[in-house]
Amino acid sequence: MSQASIEVRDLVVRYGTVVAVRGVSFTVGAGEHLTLLGPSGCGKTTTLRAIAGLERPTSGEIRIGGSVMFSSSPAVNVPAERRELSMVFQSYAIWPHMTVFENVAYGLRVRRLPEVEVTTRVREALDLVQLGDLGARSASKLSGGQQQRVALARAFVFSPSVLLFDEPLSNLDAKLRAEMRVELKELQRRLDVTSVYVTHDLEEALAISDRIVVMRDGVIEQVGTPGEIYDRPRNTFVVIETPGGALVHGIAPDRRAGAEVLVAVRTVRLRIDRARPAGAVNVWPARIRQRVFQGDFTQYHLEWEGRQLIVRSAAAEPMTEGDEVFVSAEPRHCVLLEE
Amino acid sequence: MSLSAVRYLQRARSWRPGPRLVSVLVGGGAAVLVLYPIAYLLQASLSVGDPQARPPEAYGLANFADLPRYSHIFGNTLLVAGVATVLAIVFGFVMGWILSRTNVPGRAAFEQLMALPYYVTPLMGALAWALIGSPASGFVNQLWRALGGDGHLVDINTPWGIAWVMALFEGAVAFVMIGAVMKSMDPALEEASQVLGAGRLRTMLRVTLPLVLPGVLGAAVFVFAEMLGSFSAALVLGLPSRFYVVTTAMYQLVSQYPPRFPTAAAMGVSLFAVMFAMVWVYRRIVSAGSYATITGKAFRPRVMDVGRLRWSLLGVPVLTIVYASFQRLTTVFPRVDNFTLANYATALSLDAVRSALWNSLLLGFATASLGVVLMGFLAWLIYRSRLPGAGLIEYVLMFPQAVPRLVFAFGMLWAWLVFPIPIYGTLWLLLIAYLTVFLPLGLRTISGVILQIDRSLEESAQMCGATWGHRLRTVTMPLLKPGLVAAWLLLFIASVRELGASILLMGPKSKVITPAIVESWFSTSSELTAALALLQTLAVAAALAIMFAVARRAVQAGGE
């Protein structure tokens, strides 16, 4: 399949007095899978819809495959149907008055492909999403997971150069979501298409992206690979928005003398011991307030310097509530934050 | 830049024809349809020269200064509307409470019964109750005298009788509004109060009542406004005893010789102002009680789920009319030699009746078909196109809701008399009138469906590469079909039954059936009138049966 790069420059989207996106710039390489991550209202969906052509930006420029799709000066706004991209909607947007086959065939028929080719390609697409035998079924009689698959097949069947995903898994239950995440990733790689994915779920973003753009209040907070976002968050927001992050106040020796800095450590990287671990650099005494057994790991809520600290430990030896313990973190797991 | 990109650029520049332009055009069109007649109503009310002169010779407030002479008419209107509102609210509250908070057996049947007034017009109700309760020949009073009573037991030709009929046949909206508030209220709110230790009475006073009150108050204001503009019951039942309300007085002033247009216009403007204020108050109440936001305006009668049950529940009043229509001389005691089909033979043999019936059906089809297209487009513009000023356009288009149809028709009478194209006295004028006064009805019905259809259904078609026209044909229209069919039916029924506007606007050569029924009531026998009313009902029923058959096929074909 063809791939196209996407360039977004100084994108601003304003609704009346509300500014949803305030000057966002990023690029998506051909064949790259980029995810826009952030809480609701951060502008990620608006940005995606602006790329799709469903939202008219106030200013900025959007190029797909080198051609200008939107520009405020000179004024260009290519309508969505001529941008040759495709999208999976949060609500799936499966047409209830058509069969599964008709839903998937829509994009091909719009392109006036011969009916023989339409049939083969729809069948291929349905096989790929494991719905091969459901073509004749009315789309209104599908389960959530099946609708999701139909929406996927419909989106990629006509070989768009770019696939956009607007929180496609958020309406599924947790188990199905985990399954679909794996399937989606496989599909993405197999289709070999450029994709932009919007989600508020860190795990989802980490799983399926080449690169992640973290957004807040219409601006970009950090751009990086999943590993970078997870291990090297730039500021408190990125830490808070990526669950499993802990904030530790500390004193950095190489900064201005005595200046308090903020350090982030992933809760799974923190260690707790009954005795002070020998040779460790960052060690703090703490007390276990609560212990929550969660199966794969045990989550401890610690009282530490008047604050609460959460530590996830996979250690076999259980500690009991009220125990005095020592928390430690290796320097390579500590990230100095900007704010 | 590739060649296709250049083409994109060129097309992109000429892409939108300027939403502002569309907005101005639509706003302008709406203003002509809706505001033009109202402007003429105002003009007529300010005319103080020769009452027959058009345009007016002089302007002044004399007509309004003259209104206190008619204070008894305003008093009558307030009395009838007030009593009818109280009746309707009490009735609606009790029914709403029974249907949403109790488990009385047969609730479903009750609920069906409450929809009855949508199938029987207030005119039919008034005619039927006139047959039942008129002092001399009413069935009840015939029985009363047969049982040895003296004079009459009930007299429907009184303010109380008029209010009774109005509450029964026009007050159903109170039940719908109050019932909706009660249903939308989570019973858990009451249960929580009880669990926390409050008794039933305390729960009722401290939880239920405050929650329901805005809804009931809103319904009361709304119904009162409707009752102020009510026409047919007051016409049929009030005229024999020379009891006038504002609408019937206006009708009298316009149809007498010489007509007194300016006085009638001043009355209309006063009524309009009061109703407008009431609707405004209603909106305030509804928006203040945001925790139970049930607006009567948002209520859409559901025509689509007419079951067999409802058709079998057409009720006593209709049976009375059926009974009367087969008699030579209406009497409560059946005698074999009194039964006849002559009324139907007469009704169908009269050219005037035949042409009126035909005109009505024709107008019904035209109004419904044109209306669905026009209102569908307007609804889409208002709710989907993100047009600047869409809210204002909606406001203007909903205007006819706050104006009694008779008053509106009065404005049209003047407006279109001076219109350069001679449509006065033709069916065209009626068509324009129907399309205007039914704008709120059609818009509300269609917009309800449009709002139910998720925007992403259209957007996903766009993402598949479908152009505007293609999307409309393959996605939007098929999804809207059930709503459009419902709107068509509602507009058709409403048009064929329309009285308030038709009675003023029809000409000698463009008679329609409902005013013809009223004329027959006052000038010929009640038996013939009953036959006419039934013929109208049958014609509507037949047209609906055909439409249902077609619609069901269409919906099924679209849904599978």
Side-chain angles (χ1 to χ4, degrees), chain A residues 128-139:
Chain A
L128 211 56
V129 295
Q130 299 164 30
L131 287 179
D133 45 345
L134 286 187
R137 184 170 302 184
S138 165

Side-chain angles (χ1 to χ4, degrees), chain A residues 48-67:
Chain A
L48 187 80
R49 288 171 61 84
I51 296 174
L54 297 172
E55 214 73 58
R56 195 196 176 105
T58 313
S59 66
E61 191 182 82
I62 298 171
R63 287 167 177 268
I64 298 175
S67 339

Side-chain angles (χ1 to χ4, degrees), chain A residues 49 76 82 91 95 106 111, chain B residues 8-9 456-457 459 464 474:
Chain A
R49 288 171 61 84
V76 176
R82 277 194 251 131
S91 60
W95 300 301
Y106 193 88
R111 287 167 178 74
Chain B
Y8 271 151
L9 272 177
S456 67
L457 288 170
E459 288 176 348
C464 283
T474 56

Side-chain angles (χ1 to χ4, degrees), chain B residues 157-425:
Chain B
N157 298 112
T158 57
W160 314 106
I162 295 169
W164 168 250
V165 173
M166 275 162 56
L168 280 186
F169 289 89
E170 292 178 71
V173 66
F175 159 74
V176 172
M177 292 166 79
I178 296 173
V181 171
M182 285 193 166
K183 272 188 188 156
S184 75
M185 198 182 102
D186 189 351
L189 294 171
E190 289 164 305
E191 287 163 7
S193 159
Q194 284 176 5
V195 168
L196 292 174
R200 267 177 192 280
L201 183 68
R202 199 182 167 85
T203 302
M204 180 76 193
L205 291 178
R206 301 298 295 272
V207 178
T208 317
L209 210 61
L211 283 172
V212 176
L213 201 61
V216 174
L217 218 61
V221 173
F222 183 79
V223 170
F224 187 66
E226 296 269 287
M227 296 296 184
L228 287 177
S230 166
F231 178 59
S232 46
L235 183 70
V236 169
L237 301 174
L239 229 52
S241 53
R242 308 198 130 271
F243 178 85
Y244 292 106
V245 295
V246 173
T247 48
T248 51
M250 273 182 71
Y251 173 61
Q252 200 65 25
L253 287 170
V254 171
S255 53
Q256 73 185 23
Y257 193 83
R260 296 177 56 190
F261 291 120
T263 311
M267 277 189 180
V269 169
S270 318
L271 186 60
F272 170 49
V274 173
M275 278 182 66
F276 204 73
M278 300 299 287
V279 172
W280 183 79
V281 169
Y282 162 76
R283 289 200 167 193
R284 285 296 298 268
I285 292 175
V286 168
S287 61
S290 55
Y291 38 85
T293 322
I294 304 298
T295 67
K297 298 284 185 192
F299 165 70
R300 288 179 296 121
R302 292 169 307 172
V303 173
M304 286 307 286
D305 39 89
V306 180
R308 284 202 186 84
L309 187 61
R310 286 195 208 179
W311 293 108
S312 67
L313 278 172
L314 282 176
V316 178
V318 181
L319 290 179
T320 312
I321 289 187
V322 174
Y323 181 67
S325 72
F326 286 109
Q327 292 193 311
R328 281 181 216 288
L329 197 68
T330 312
T331 162
V332 71
F333 307 106
R335 278 204 345 256
V336 179
D337 61 342
N338 195 24
F339 281 99
T340 177
L341 286 172
N343 297 318
Y344 287 92
T346 312
L348 288 172
S349 70
L350 289 174
D351 276 349
V353 173
R354 277 220 304 263
S355 82
L357 198 57
W358 171 245
N359 282 344
S360 281
L361 291 177
L362 192 70
L363 271 173
F365 272 101
T367 308
S369 306
L370 279 175
V372 163
V373 175
L374 175 75
M375 293 159 199
F377 183 65
L378 287 171
W380 181 80
L381 270 182
I382 292 170
Y383 301 104
R384 269 296 147 84
S385 69
R386 305 181 194 183
L387 207 63
L392 185 69
I393 295 176
E394 182 193 9
Y395 197 77
V396 171
L397 293 181
M398 285 294 176
F399 221 60
Q401 188 93 50
V403 191
R405 290 208 288 269
L406 185 92
V407 177
F408 212 95
F410 183 88
M412 287 190 172
L413 190 77
W414 272 58
W416 297 106
L417 264 177
V418 299
F419 197 65
I421 304 167
I423 59 164
Y424 181 72

Side-chain angles (χ1 to χ4, degrees), chain A residues 14 29 43 50 80 87 105 155 211 225 234 251 278 281 302 308 312 325:
Chain A
R14 193 178 287 134
M87 182 161 167
R211 240 166 7 116
T225 63
R234 241 182 61 192
I251 293 165
V281 189
L302 305 181
Q308 176 164 293
R312 288 177 176 180
V325 294

Side-chain angles (χ1 to χ4, degrees), chain B residues 47-228:
Chain B
S47 157
V48 290
D50 174 10
Q52 260 59 256
R54 290 188 193 94
E57 292 169 332
Y59 291 99
L61 290 172
N63 297 313
F64 289 98
D66 208 26
L67 284 181
R69 275 209 304 145
Y70 299 95
S71 58
H72 62 286
I73 287 173
F74 287 99
N76 289 346
T77 311
L78 289 177
L79 174 70
V80 170
V83 173
T85 304
V86 170
L87 279 174
I89 292 294
V90 170
F91 194 52
F93 189 84
V94 172
M95 290 302 288
W97 188 76
I98 288 176
L99 292 182
S100 64
R101 284 290 184 275
T102 68
N103 47 2
V104 173
R107 274 183 306 159
F110 265 126
E111 205 156 2
Q112 305 275 324
L113 196 65
M114 292 307 294
L116 190 68
Y118 288 112
Y119 306 106
V120 184
T121 56
L123 178 64
M124 280 271 268
L127 292 175
W129 276 98
L131 287 171
I132 293 171
S134 73
S137 58
F139 287 1
V140 172
N141 295 320
Q142 285 186 36
L143 278 173
W144 170 251
R145 280 190 294 272
L147 291 172
D150 225 13
H152 56 81
L153 184 65
V154 292
D155 183 358
I156 202 75
N157 298 112
T158 57
W160 314 106
I162 295 169
W164 168 250
V165 173
M166 275 162 56
L168 280 186
F169 289 89
E170 292 178 71
V173 66
F175 159 74
V176 172
M177 292 166 79
I178 296 173
V181 171
M182 285 193 166
K183 272 188 188 156
S184 75
M185 198 182 102
D186 189 351
L189 294 171
E190 289 164 305
E191 287 163 7
S193 159
Q194 284 176 5
V195 168
L196 292 174
R200 267 177 192 280
L201 183 68
R202 199 182 167 85
T203 302
M204 180 76 193
L205 291 178
R206 301 298 295 272
V207 178
T208 317
L209 210 61
L211 283 172
V212 176
L213 201 61
V216 174
L217 218 61
V221 173
F222 183 79
V223 170
F224 187 66
E226 296 269 287
M227 296 296 184
L228 287 177

